[in-house]
Amino acid sequence: MKTLLVSGCSWTDPNFESVHHPEIDTSWKKWPEILAKKLDMDCINLAMSGAGQEYIYSTIIDKLQTIESSDIGLCIAAWSTANRRDYKSNDI
């Protein structure tokens, strides 16, 4: 089965939780999982809330190096807002 590879910010994050409304149940299926099912593909979702362009780019590039190219069906960089930046933290 082919793989859908996706990275992005909170709009794509499979573990998204609302900071402003923590009482809201956010356990619904996010769009990458829905799309993968429609395309009959496995889904690898690398998205993370708050992620910027560098994170999105880097996670996709890193993951692509570990997967056989013939196994990739579709790769989507779900870019965040243009001015969002990533900052390295020693806590991670």
Side-chain angles (χ1 to χ4, degrees):
M1 182 176 285
K2 296 285 186 176
T3 298
L4 168 64
L5 176 61
V6 178
S7 188
C9 64
S10 57
W11 295 105
T12 307
D13 186 350
N15 303 308
F16 169 76
E17 292 181 7
S18 175
V19 174
H20 301 291
H21 301 284
E23 72 282 359
I24 294 175
D25 177 12
T26 58
S27 62
W28 64 80
K29 290 181 182 178
K30 308 311 183 283
W31 69 264
E33 187 179 350
I34 295 167
L35 179 60
K37 185 175 180 179
K38 287 184 179 285
L39 296 174
D40 193 28
M41 293 183 181
D42 291 325
C43 183
I44 297 176
N45 187 345
L46 306 171
M48 181 177 70
S49 291
Q53 315 316 357
E54 294 89 352
Y55 173 88
I56 296 166
Y57 173 80
S58 298
T59 55
I60 288 175
I61 293 300
D62 290 347
K63 195 63 173 177
L64 283 172
Q65 294 178 35
T66 68
I67 302 172
E68 187 66 40
S69 60
S70 60
D71 292 339
I72 301 294
L74 181 61
C75 179
I76 299 174
W79 300 115
S80 186
T81 58
N83 61 348
R84 185 174 282 181
R85 296 282 187 210
D86 294 309
Y87 296 94
K88 185 172 182 171
S89 170
N90 291 332
D91 296 336
I92 298 176

